[in-house]
Amino acid sequence: MAKLFLGSTFSIFHSRHIRPPLAGCHVTKMTVANHHPSLEVVGGARDRFLLSLHTNLRLPYNPFPLIAWNRHVETIFASFFRSIPQVRLRRECLRVKDGGSVALDWISGDHRRLPPDSPVLILLPGLTGGSQDSYVRHMLTKANGKGWRVVVFNSRGCGESPVTTPQFYSASFLGDTYEVVKHVGARYPEANLYAVGWSLGANILVRYLGKESHACPLSGAVSLCNPFNLVIADEDFHKGFNNVYDKALARALCKIFKKHALLFEDMGGEFNIPLAANAKSVRDFDEGLTRVSFGFKSVDDYYSNSSSCDSIKHVQRPLLCIQAENDPIAPSRAIPREDIEENPNCMLIVTPKGGHLGWVAGAEAPLGAPWTDPVVMDFLEYLEQGASKTGKFLGDSEAVQRSSGELHHMEV
């Protein structure tokens, strides 16, 4: 794994887009702003994106004292005690092709306040999450404060989104994501589209990026706390204190299910409705309902075929992945580091601490926005600046195609 150190230099022609100079030509050297050694920063797009993030990444990752000493303390603190910014939202219920519904929450007044070409950011919360969650609200207000139009994609049953068919969402199902992105793009055809996903939302987002590949209408994306490999995540979910999270998420799933239980009356076949309604673990819920709804032979089959780790190699849009080394729910060993390093469109940042959806560090700790928010916005604003110049921020391979036959150059 190649590593850079503070003050390191490299020749301009080391970039794959730039040809070596002819013999006798002077070779210019430049210094690349680097990251602090407390952070792991790798990826095929690292050199391309690192300069835009150096303001935040050159500083040490300093977790907040007492709270961040333990990954479970940090995870629980962020979930229960992080502030929730107040913002007025306008809900749009979108009916999708199969008769199901999702809820899109926009910031009230933005349709009139912002110009039609303002960049649009789609937010995909984690399992059972929605626009009410603190980490979603902080990202929403941070982006909106910089002139971005933001919409929260509340999946079926999440964030009080209506359930109108006997089917919830899952890690495997991308149909709603396709329709939401298409709908948002049609509403603001002059704007560039971006997305940020957390946890299961990040897994779904990365799978979408991989499936769409070169045809993806997004100009860039960010994945946070992605479990990547659901088989490995499930293994760790049943160890020690992690059982607390498993039971909490199972209760949240059961609560959503029971609100709409009448839709699932008289379901035959392999469905086990009593097991889903009284699930003691996420695996129980997936066995009773999810894996049957989406046509999988077993829960393990569902987890194996719904993991986003296999999608990284197909991503053709700029993608920033941020993980915490000590995440109890998205294990570090599940990160597809090799594929991220080999993909010229991907970059990975791993913090030494952070828990799951915690990152209680940075200028706003302990009650304010997570450490990741300014990093995410720096990345997205860098992409938007590039997209504004070219009409779309191109993936690495597309950039090569466009530059064919043209002069090779680099702006420093």
Side-chain angles (χ1 to χ4, degrees), residues 26 137 220 303 336 371:
H26 176 69
R137 288 289 184 97
Y303 291 160
W371 175 87

mmCIF file of all heavy atoms in Angstrom, residues 26 137 220 303 336 371:
data_model
loop_
_atom_site.group_PDB
_atom_site.id
_atom_site.type_symbol
_atom_site.label_atom_id
_atom_site.label_comp_id
_atom_site.label_asym_id
_atom_site.label_seq_id
_atom_site.Cartn_x
_atom_site.Cartn_y
_atom_site.Cartn_z
ATOM 1 N N HIS A 26 12.549 20.325 -19.086
ATOM 2 C CA HIS A 26 12.621 20.503 -17.639
ATOM 3 C C HIS A 26 11.404 19.869 -16.972
ATOM 4 O O HIS A 26 10.285 20.035 -17.427
ATOM 5 C CB HIS A 26 12.657 21.998 -17.302
ATOM 6 C CG HIS A 26 12.646 22.266 -15.831
ATOM 7 N ND1 HIS A 26 13.711 21.957 -15.021
ATOM 8 C CD2 HIS A 26 11.694 22.810 -15.036
ATOM 9 C CE1 HIS A 26 13.420 22.304 -13.776
ATOM 10 N NE2 HIS A 26 12.188 22.820 -13.758
ATOM 11 N N ARG A 137 -29.862 15.501 9.832
ATOM 12 C CA ARG A 137 -30.171 16.936 9.972
ATOM 13 C C ARG A 137 -28.909 17.799 9.883
ATOM 14 O O ARG A 137 -28.933 18.890 9.292
ATOM 15 C CB ARG A 137 -30.875 17.185 11.301
ATOM 16 C CG ARG A 137 -32.310 16.671 11.363
ATOM 17 C CD ARG A 137 -33.244 17.511 10.484
ATOM 18 N NE ARG A 137 -34.630 17.078 10.614
ATOM 19 C CZ ARG A 137 -35.510 17.648 11.413
ATOM 20 N NH1 ARG A 137 -35.156 18.668 12.182
ATOM 21 N NH2 ARG A 137 -36.751 17.207 11.466
ATOM 22 N N GLY A 220 -21.296 12.571 -8.292
ATOM 23 C CA GLY A 220 -20.401 12.155 -7.227
ATOM 24 C C GLY A 220 -21.195 11.661 -6.040
ATOM 25 O O GLY A 220 -22.412 11.884 -5.948
ATOM 26 N N TYR A 303 -27.752 -11.781 2.336
ATOM 27 C CA TYR A 303 -26.639 -10.935 2.752
ATOM 28 C C TYR A 303 -25.490 -10.986 1.745
ATOM 29 O O TYR A 303 -24.900 -9.960 1.405
ATOM 30 C CB TYR A 303 -26.126 -11.374 4.127
ATOM 31 C CG TYR A 303 -27.076 -11.102 5.280
ATOM 32 C CD1 TYR A 303 -26.967 -11.784 6.484
ATOM 33 C CD2 TYR A 303 -28.103 -10.167 5.168
ATOM 34 C CE1 TYR A 303 -27.842 -11.536 7.544
ATOM 35 C CE2 TYR A 303 -28.981 -9.914 6.207
ATOM 36 C CZ TYR A 303 -28.840 -10.602 7.395
ATOM 37 O OH TYR A 303 -29.703 -10.361 8.437
ATOM 38 N N PRO A 336 -13.418 -3.118 1.389
ATOM 39 C CA PRO A 336 -12.741 -3.661 0.198
ATOM 40 C C PRO A 336 -11.567 -2.773 -0.229
ATOM 41 O O PRO A 336 -11.585 -2.140 -1.291
ATOM 42 C CB PRO A 336 -13.858 -3.678 -0.846
ATOM 43 C CG PRO A 336 -14.741 -2.538 -0.460
ATOM 44 C CD PRO A 336 -14.701 -2.473 1.045
ATOM 45 N N TRP A 371 -17.451 14.919 12.876
ATOM 46 C CA TRP A 371 -16.192 15.316 12.237
ATOM 47 C C TRP A 371 -16.275 15.208 10.717
ATOM 48 O O TRP A 371 -15.630 15.976 9.988
ATOM 49 C CB TRP A 371 -15.067 14.419 12.764
ATOM 50 C CG TRP A 371 -13.740 14.627 12.114
ATOM 51 C CD1 TRP A 371 -12.775 15.526 12.468
ATOM 52 C CD2 TRP A 371 -13.223 13.905 10.972
ATOM 53 N NE1 TRP A 371 -11.689 15.409 11.622
ATOM 54 C CE2 TRP A 371 -11.937 14.430 10.697
ATOM 55 C CE3 TRP A 371 -13.716 12.879 10.167
ATOM 56 C CZ2 TRP A 371 -11.152 13.951 9.664
ATOM 57 C CZ3 TRP A 371 -12.941 12.402 9.119
ATOM 58 C CH2 TRP A 371 -11.672 12.946 8.877
#
